[in-house]
Amino acid sequence: MVDTAQHTQGESDWVPTQDGRRLHAMVLPGPPDAATPTVVFEAGSGASRSSWATVQPEVARHARAIVYDRSGLGRSAPDRSNRTLRRMADDLTEPDVIAAEIAKLLQTG
């Protein structure tokens, strides 16, 4: 069972992107099994991580569940460049970076 007493979307963290932005992420660690997969939720255009608030805890019963706010949304820093489709696509390629950074934090914290 997932402990959601502190916040339903998990523990808050900040994750650097490859170009220096900081994205706000929240992690529910999932079951304690070392082989637990990681699921990174991508919110729709213009939506924040909160759109996954009811789904993420259910997924966390079986996997580490990570939600994050894209640049300029929720608590994430805005992009210094114009938000073109190309830049938005860059955010879509960041979840691997986010998952790796958060996985490191979970191992050390």
Side-chain angles (χ1 to χ4, degrees):
M1 184 91 178
V2 175
D3 178 17
T4 59
Q6 193 171 29
H7 190 286
T8 59
Q9 288 195 284
E11 193 167 322
S12 182
D13 211 333
W14 296 96
V15 181
T17 64
Q18 294 174 0
D19 67 355
R21 290 175 283 147
R22 286 178 11 136
L23 302 179
H24 178 251
M26 296 192 83
V27 181
L28 288 173
D33 182 359
T36 298
T38 298
V39 176
V40 178
F41 291 87
E42 176 65 45
S45 179
S48 74
R49 65 180 158 73
S50 298
S51 62
W52 292 109
T54 58
V55 177
Q56 183 197 13
E58 294 302 314
V59 171
R61 295 176 190 264
H62 310 284
R64 179 180 299 127
I66 302 171
V67 293
Y68 75 101
D69 291 322
R70 281 194 197 150
S71 289
L73 298 174
R75 295 175 61 193
S76 289
D79 195 338
R80 293 181 286 265
S81 298
N82 290 332
R83 291 302 285 169
T84 63
L85 290 176
R86 177 82 162 162
R87 294 295 291 176
M88 289 177 79
D90 287 345
D91 279 356
L92 294 175
T93 62
E94 296 293 338
D96 290 339
V97 174
I98 293 168
E101 286 292 322
I102 292 175
K104 284 188 238 174
L105 291 170
L106 289 173
Q107 289 173 357
T108 60

